Amino acid sequence: DQQVKQNSPSLSVQEGRISILNCDYTNSMFDYFLWYKKYPAEGPTFLISISSIKDKNEDGRFTVFLNKSAKHLSLHIVPSQPGDSAVYFCAASDGGSTLGRLYFGRGTQLTVWP
Amino acid sequence: EAGVAQSPRYKIIEKRQSVAFWCNPISGHATLYWYQQILGQGPKLLIQFQNNGVVDDSQLPKDRFSAERLKGVDSTLKIQPAKLEDSAVYLCASSLGSPRPEETQYFGPGTRLLVL
């Protein structure tokens, strides 16, 4: 049973425009959320995270928004660059009860074209 | 700083054979994780260690999978016997402190296993 869902398997965006990647979750106990980026033949790398006590976290071109009532989070990349082309995984944790176990979505392949 | 090392990078075996994967985490990292990523899915945690102790192995299929982290440094994951559905990428990750979601996990490149 997928507790973290990324319903868009792919997204294509022109360079310089905004990329918006979406993620939904079903477990109301999740209180910490992360985004990982993965290039081919490499392991995922941490990108940005947000705690459930916040609704927004920003790091340079990357901003994550959390809507707890909708159980939805999104990653905004502005402006998008060709080097951002990768698979983006959303992950969530309920921290206390599972010692930080991360539940990952299936990923969204982002392609940024010139 | 060297990253998480994994070997082999690729492995092809026949069903019912045995296979082992090796992981060397980032130096000084206390927590080590093994994930299974089946094609088209996200990584799924199999087991996590803090130093040489198992913290969470609730999602490890213990009838065929085993893992150890002797001396609290490198780790091996074994499958015996392998099934077709074990075909996946096996990712190892490590983090500096105790198992908490706020601790950034650093992933290795993974071992791609194909079971024929």
Side-chain angles (χ1 to χ4, degrees):
Chain A
D1 182 33
Q2 279 289 109
Q3 298 189 62
V4 177
K5 299 177 182 180
Q6 294 178 258
N7 293 319
S8 298
S10 64
L11 174 68
S12 183
V13 171
Q14 188 175 24
E15 181 179 6
R17 308 287 282 249
I18 184 171
S19 295
I20 300 176
L21 296 97
N22 294 304
C23 177
D24 298 293
Y25 60 95
T26 58
N27 189 340
S28 58
M29 298 301 293
F30 286 153
D31 58 5
Y32 199 80
F33 305 88
L34 309 91
W35 285 93
Y36 276 80
K37 179 169 73 172
K38 185 183 182 304
Y39 293 117
E42 295 183 11
T45 56
F46 170 75
L47 189 57
I48 192 169
S49 62
I50 187 167
S51 165
S52 60
I53 63 173
K54 295 184 175 181
D55 55 17
K56 175 183 173 181
N57 189 27
E58 192 171 349
D59 183 2
R61 298 185 296 114
F62 302 90
T63 303
V64 56
F65 295 92
L66 175 62
N67 183 334
K68 290 186 290 292
S69 61
K71 294 192 179 68
H72 176 85
L73 63 156
S74 61
L75 174 68
H76 293 211
I77 306 174
V78 183
S80 301
Q81 299 174 355
D84 296 329
S85 297
V87 177
Y88 288 78
F89 290 101
C90 173
S93 174
D94 62 0
S97 66
T98 57
L99 295 170
R101 183 194 304 165
L102 297 183
Y103 295 85
F104 283 84
R106 292 175 181 265
T108 297
Q109 171 70 58
L110 173 66
T111 302
V112 181
W113 47 280
Chain B
E1 179 183 77
V4 177
Q6 290 188 247
S7 67
R9 292 297 307 275
Y10 304 93
K11 190 74 176 178
I12 300 175
I13 62 172
E14 296 189 349
K15 60 184 179 183
R16 291 186 288 273
Q17 285 187 320
S18 302
V19 65
F21 313 125
W22 175 81
C23 172
N24 191 22
I26 294 173
S27 178
H29 278 200
T31 304
L32 185 146
Y33 311 79
W34 281 103
Y35 288 86
Q36 179 193 58
Q37 185 179 10
I38 293 172
L39 186 65
Q41 298 184 19
K44 173 188 170 185
L45 180 71
L46 293 175
I47 188 169
Q48 62 183 48
F49 296 90
Q50 183 176 4
N51 297 314
N52 60 352
V54 175
V55 172
D56 181 1
D57 65 354
S58 59
Q59 300 189 107
L60 186 74
K62 298 181 187 64
D63 58 334
R64 298 184 300 106
F65 286 66
S66 64
E68 60 183 11
R69 191 186 183 196
L70 299 176
K71 301 180 182 178
V73 181
D74 55 355
S75 175
T76 56
L77 176 70
K78 296 179 182 178
I79 308 175
Q80 181 178 16
K83 292 185 176 181
L84 297 176
E85 59 260 36
D86 298 333
S87 295
V89 175
Y90 290 85
L91 293 162
C92 179
S94 68
S95 62
L96 180 62
S98 58
R100 297 182 304 124
E102 296 85 357
E103 286 284 340
T104 300
Q105 295 185 26
Y106 297 86
F107 283 82
T111 296
R112 186 176 296 274
L113 173 67
L114 178 60
V115 182
L116 302 175

